[in-house]
Amino acid sequence: MINNTMERNDTDLIERIAQEHGLSTASAKAVVDDVQSDADVALVCSECGDTEDDGARVVSAFTDPRDGEKRALCDSCFAGLLESRTMLSPQQARILPLMLAGWGPTEIADALGIDRPNVSVQQSKIRGRVDEAFEQLEEARSTLAVLEDLTNVETNQ
Ligand SMILES: [Zn+2]
């Protein structure tokens, strides 16, 4: 009974949004789905299909490092992406998804089986990585600028 009522309300809402904004029902539904995925309701990991009910610690709308798009990912899949795409250590990659999901250091320490003080140390190292990345980017840019000129000189001779 409760489910039926909820579904009907959802359908009514979609119809109303479609009419008010001159959208097709399908586009209106896509908008509603999008809003709901941001609202953290029963998300399914887009990589492994896990939900918080069947094993994942957290499934949240994380920014996918492969394309910068927001999508539902469980903390394990997101940690895997972070580990392969960033300068974060494996442990930092496991901590960051939980930090972003609003977990406190004590909860993170319990969930990952690491010491509470170590979690705090890793959290500040994660923040430090951003500054480090900017520094390395600057260095890489100036290296590229210099070496590009060098290459031009060599090919001109
Ligand atoms: Zn997953």
Side-chain angles (χ1 to χ4, degrees):
M1 261 321 252
I2 291 166
N3 274 338
N4 284 344
T5 313
M6 282 177 71
E7 272 168 29
R8 214 194 50 230
N9 284 346
D10 269 354
T11 312
D12 288 348
L13 176 69
I14 289 161
E15 289 299 335
R16 215 183 63 217
I17 290 172
Q19 281 175 4
E20 281 176 2
H21 298 275
L23 298 167
S24 68
T25 309
S27 320
K29 188 179 182 309
V31 171
V32 171
D33 284 350
D34 206 38
V35 170
Q36 284 178 342
S37 75
D38 271 347
D40 224 316
V41 223
L43 289 180
V44 179
C45 175
S46 59
E47 292 282 311
C48 70
D50 271 4
T51 65
E52 287 177 16
D53 291 335
D54 51 35
R57 285 190 195 95
V58 168
V59 179
S60 193
F62 292 116
T63 303
D64 192 323
R66 292 169 299 191
D67 56 11
E69 296 289 323
K70 271 204 162 190
R71 57 177 55 92
L73 290 165
C74 73
D75 62 298
S76 307
C77 291
F78 187 46
L81 290 173
L82 288 173
E83 204 187 321
S84 62
R85 298 277 169 152
T86 67
M87 304 187 298
L88 298 182
S89 74
Q91 192 177 57
Q92 290 164 352
R94 284 197 300 274
I95 292 173
L96 183 58
L98 302 177
M99 270 174 81
L100 293 176
W103 288 32
T106 309
E107 286 174 291
I108 295 175
D110 288 348
L112 301 181
I114 40 183
D115 291 343
R116 165 86 171 67
N118 190 19
V119 172
S120 302
V121 169
Q122 296 307 323
Q123 284 183 316
S124 51
K125 280 189 179 172
I126 290 170
R127 294 187 185 101
R129 289 286 182 188
V130 178
D131 297 330
E132 246 174 82
F134 274 118
E135 278 166 27
Q136 290 185 7
L137 183 64
E138 279 309 305
E139 224 173 297
R141 276 201 184 117
S142 76
T143 304
L144 185 63
V146 172
L147 292 188
E148 253 181 354
D149 287 348
L150 200 68
T151 315
N152 286 340
V153 171
E154 275 173 7
T155 47
N156 285 343
Q157 277 170 352

